[in-house]
Amino acid sequence: MARLLHYAAHPSPRTSTANSAMLSRIRGLEGITSLDLYAEYPRYDIDIEDEQQRLLAHDVIVLQFPLFWYSCPALVKEWLDLVWEHGFAYGQGGDRLKGKLLMLAVTTGGPQEAYGAEGYQHYELRTFLTPFEQAARLAQMRFLAPYVLHGALKTEPEAHALGFLRLMTALRDERLDLRAAESADILTHDTLPLMGIN
Amino acid sequence: MSDFLLLAFLFLIAGVAAVPIATALGLGSVLGYLIAGIALSPILLLLEVDVVSIQHFAEFGVVMMLFLVGLELEPKRLWEMRNRLLGLGGLQVGLTAALIAGVLIAFQMDWRIAVAVGLILAMSSTAIVLQTLAEKGLLRGDGGQASFSVLLFQDIAVIPILALVPLLAIPGAHHAGAEDGHGAGMSLVADLAGWQAALVTAGAIAVVIAGGMFLTRPLFRYIAKARLREIFVATALMFVVGIALLMTLVGLSPALGTFLAGVVLANSEYRHELESDIDPFRGLLLGLFFMTVGAAIDFQMLWDDLFPILGLTLAVIGAKALVLLVLARVFALRGSEKFLFGLGLAQAGEFGFVLTSFAVSNLVLPEDMAPRLNLIITLSMMLTPGLFILYERVIRPAFDRPVEREDDEITEKGTAIIAGHGRFGGIVNRMLLAAGYKTTVLDHSAAQLDMLRVFGFNVYYGDASRPDLLHAAGIEEAKLLVVAIDDPAQAVAIVHHVTQNHPHVHIIARARDRHHVYQLYNAGCRDVIRETFDSSVRAGRSAYEALGMHPFEAERLARSFVKADRHALYELAQVWDPEIPETQNPAYVQKVREMNEVMEPGAALGAFRERHERGWTPPSPQDTESDRQRIEAARDGA
């Protein structure tokens, strides 16, 4: 069993549909640590020491958030800025996250076809996520393809939320084909590379 | 009785009339008093008032002044000053006396008389110099400190000089007349052998120091519990007068004794309170003293002998300044400080009067010489304010380059004054100290202070609503005043006083309720903190969370509430009028009505809800669609 750490971050859970559904699906799931970042730090007073200990105590880190202006909500960035210190995540002696897995679970407002040279968002979704990918690389972590829901505002979130539950369970039980997950562009609820009993 | 009232009224009216004019003209209060004294002298002459005996009484102001100076000086600093005190002071008295005596001997004067006159004129005026230095804020500088060292040494030196003068008596002359001038008739040591006297004297000093260290605190605490201002003042006076009496009894300088007591109390929490209690007496007595100096001028003698006397006065000032300037160079005083020292101490002083009459009664000086000597001393004192003006207007500007000047390291007054160290002010103080700021705390709960002292806080006993205590705590130099006292009316009074008189000070005021906020705002405070507001908001936020609201939403909603409420309070504070009850103030009522409308739960556009609702509202499918169409249309058209 892999030790799995899940962060959900949505500044306005009241108006969220997909992210709330995902969170409530995996709430209480055995063997994973799940945190609502905005509930944990409503006043942004992130405890660096606590957070670093939490990271060290797990093998897989999943960050779940809605895409806001092509990036993560502010508190996720704040968390990254403060917790992933030099000497911890990178820089001199900064190899404490080495070998761990980082995975994003993002929802977008725009439809899938909008993300690409032809679409009105003009860039691939992965292009917007390169800061996270590079952060993982600098921290010597493995970066898996993001688990994505496009058009989250007008899609029923149930299938995606169930897929998220399957994904998290598989990560926990080490049944996700990591090689396939690394080489994929994005993962969706119907393209999860699971191994063994499905 | 009516004589006394008449006399008091005359002195008061002269001082009240002359001093404000003199200070307004930048001449300093001392010159104002001296001129007032001169103006009074014909009337006093007419009433046959004994000016000299009033002067002896008023000299007690010098004793109080030394006590106050001692309060400003911690024992550690006094010890650091020892070289200057003995070196600079000793050399000043010795060299000045030698120079003057030498010149007089050269003019064929008997050497004994010459030495006595030299010693008499070597003394400077503690009263004038300290008063002027303090008034002009020069006491803390290098020159001011050096001047103070010399004055203190002179105070101490008077005792051995008094012992020495009788030895100078002209042989064969009859030893007539009792001791005069200095001190009371009683003495504890007169009939004792030398070693016994020394023992008693040392014992008295030990009593003063030990009493100051161990007795005063319990005594003042006990008195403070009574919460009677005048009893505290009486205790402070009793303390100073008692020490002066004890010192006189053992034949020591009362000024020295009170100075030592002051030093011992410099670390005490009652320091600022003592300072502000004694200070008015000091001021009045010194003022009286200066007026008597002015009134004692014998104009008949002056007109008769105008040029010789003026010449001699200038010669005395010149000789003293010469010695002082040489010493300033030897002791490495810098720049303009050298001249402050040199000119400031160049007059003869009130100890000169004492020594003169003592010397005459011991047949050291011929009797007809005394009035002329006194006149010269008086004139040199009269000219001192002029020398200070010369220093301030001419010499210092010449030296004042805008080079970086070392900050006054002596000052241990905090940048922040905290009035009231209870539940509220205590937190503020702890936060400021934790961040490395210096604070001065005033509180009038003796029990509270004892506890804080134990934990090593810099706290002082006192009622912060008194302007003089704020002054003693250093409001002039402070950046910040935190008014955290319990009494709402007093808080308003403090804010009013400080905004009027010290506009450079930022005031943070603790308000009890909305009404109090209006009053504090009206008094000029722009940083008003309601004492229970923030904790109430936190309780409200906890309630949101307990009812199931997401913590971050609860936080934002609480913040919006704070913002809206503070805005409303600010608006209401502006229309609030202390003269009109709120319900009869149309502008106020109107504002409240407007605000009620927007704060209602259902109101769509209330400031509170609007701010809260606008966070991270997702775009609608129509929003997304319209973006797509616009961008694709633009691209297809291109």
Side-chain angles (χ1 to χ4, degrees), chain B residues 368-387:
Chain B
D368 60 336
M369 200 171 170
R372 314 182 92 210
L373 204 52
N374 279 342
L375 187 56
I376 289 172
I377 294 173
T378 308
L379 283 179
S380 74
M381 287 162 83
M382 290 283 302
L383 290 176
T384 305
L387 292 179

Side-chain angles (χ1 to χ4, degrees), chain B residues 251-265:
Chain B
L252 282 183
S253 146
L256 173 68
T258 48
F259 171 74
L260 279 180
V263 173
V264 171
L265 288 172

